[in-house]
Amino acid sequence: RGNGATSYGSGNETLGPVLPGAPIIISPFGKRVHPILKTVKNHKGEDYRGSINTPLLAPFSGKVVESRYQANTVNGKTVGWGHTVVIEAPNGVRYRASHMNSASPLRFGEVVSKGQQIGKLGASGGVTGPHLDAMLYSPSGKILPVSAYRGKTLNEIGKIQ
C-alpha cells in the first residue's frame, strides 16, 4: 500500500466532495444506536442523505482496490455495506463508498480521477433507506470522519496515525 510509485494523484491534492451539491449528514461518525440491530455501536462512517441514483464522486484521484457486494445476516436481519467501492491514493489514504444502488462500473485496478462518478447512491446491504455511507482511512488504518478532512491534502491525511 501507498508506495507512491504511480502515475495518478498527488499528495497535494485535497479531499473533495463525495456527492454533488451540499450533502446533508443524516448519521454522523461516532456512537449511535444502530438503526437495524437497535444496539449502541460505533458508526465508523458518515451517512449522507440522497436520492436513488444520485452520482457518487471520487473525493481524490486513486486506484480501485475493492469493488464488491458485502452483506450478511445477524439475528435474521441484513447488515453490511451492500454494493461498495474502495479507492486508494498513492500514499495509502483510502475512501469507501457503500450502499450503492448497483455494482460500481469500476473494477479492481482501475484508475479514477478526483470528481469522477464512481457509482450511484442506493439502498443495498443493511439499510433503512437510500443513503451513502462514506468512510475515510489513513494509511495506518485509522478511520476518519470524511467531513472533518474535506479540503485537507492527501499528504496531511496520510500523516495521521
Side-chain angles (χ1 to χ4, degrees), residues 2-4 6 8-15 59-61 89-94 114 136-140 144 149 151-161:
N3 65 10
T6 64
Y8 61 89
S10 157
N12 294 322
E13 187 174 60
T14 57
L15 189 70
F60 53 79
S61 300
N91 71 345
V93 172
R94 288 183 175 209
K114 179 178 177 178
L136 183 66
Y137 303 82
S138 72
S140 69
L144 309 166
Y149 291 89
K152 302 284 188 200
T153 68
L154 292 175
N155 282 337
E156 290 173 298
I157 299 166
K159 293 176 183 172
I160 296 168
Q161 297 296 313

Side-chain angles (χ1 to χ4, degrees), residues 125-140:
V127 299
T128 58
H131 69 281
L132 163 65
D133 185 359
M135 298 175 76
L136 183 66
Y137 303 82
S138 72
S140 69

